[in-house]
């Protein structure tokens, strides 16, 4: 059973860079941005505080999931408006 990973996400709605601040003693995480149809739009490795460029993703509603190496994870919805 995994624990909930807490993180701040701003601004929301976002137009160019999504700021992520993970509250965890761990330092490296995997992220995945998916649309509401479950299609992955972007993924990669991040650290506790990072800006993710979303200029290559069209406007719409999305979910970002962040997973730690220990299996802790959290997800939040957000909106992209270009």
């Amino acid at each position: 059973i995994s624990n909930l990973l807490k993180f701040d996400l701003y601004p929301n709605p976002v137009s160019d860079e999504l700021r992520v601040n993970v509250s965890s003693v761990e330092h490296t995480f995997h992220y995945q941005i998916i649309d509401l149809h479950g299609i992955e739009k972007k993924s990669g490795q991040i650290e506790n505080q990072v800006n993710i460029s979303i200029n290559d993703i069209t406007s719409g509603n999305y979910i970002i999931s962040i997973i730690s190496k220990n299996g802790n994870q959290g997800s939040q919805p957000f909106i992209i408006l270009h």
Side-chain angles (χ1 to χ4, degrees):
I1 297 176
S2 64
N3 292 320
L4 182 64
L5 186 66
K6 296 183 187 213
F7 62 95
D8 294 321
L9 185 68
Y10 56 93
N12 190 8
V14 59
S15 61
D16 58 353
E17 283 192 337
L18 187 64
R19 292 167 188 84
V20 179
N21 184 6
V22 183
S23 302
S24 175
V25 294
E26 298 177 66
H27 298 289
T28 306
F29 308 90
H30 176 78
Y31 79 91
Q32 181 182 38
I33 295 174
I34 59 171
D35 66 17
L36 298 183
H37 300 287
I39 298 170
E40 180 180 291
K41 297 298 183 177
K42 195 166 201 165
S43 65
Q45 298 293 317
I46 59 170
E47 298 199 359
N48 289 75
Q49 295 181 351
V50 69
N51 292 347
I52 300 172
S53 173
I54 50 84
N55 289 325
D56 54 341
I57 305 175
T58 58
S59 295
N61 295 305
Y62 296 89
I63 296 171
I64 184 169
S65 295
I66 298 179
I67 305 165
S68 72
K69 289 183 178 182
N70 291 340
N72 298 328
Q73 72 176 38
S75 298
Q76 287 190 40
F78 70 100
I79 299 169
I80 296 175
L81 290 177
H82 292 295

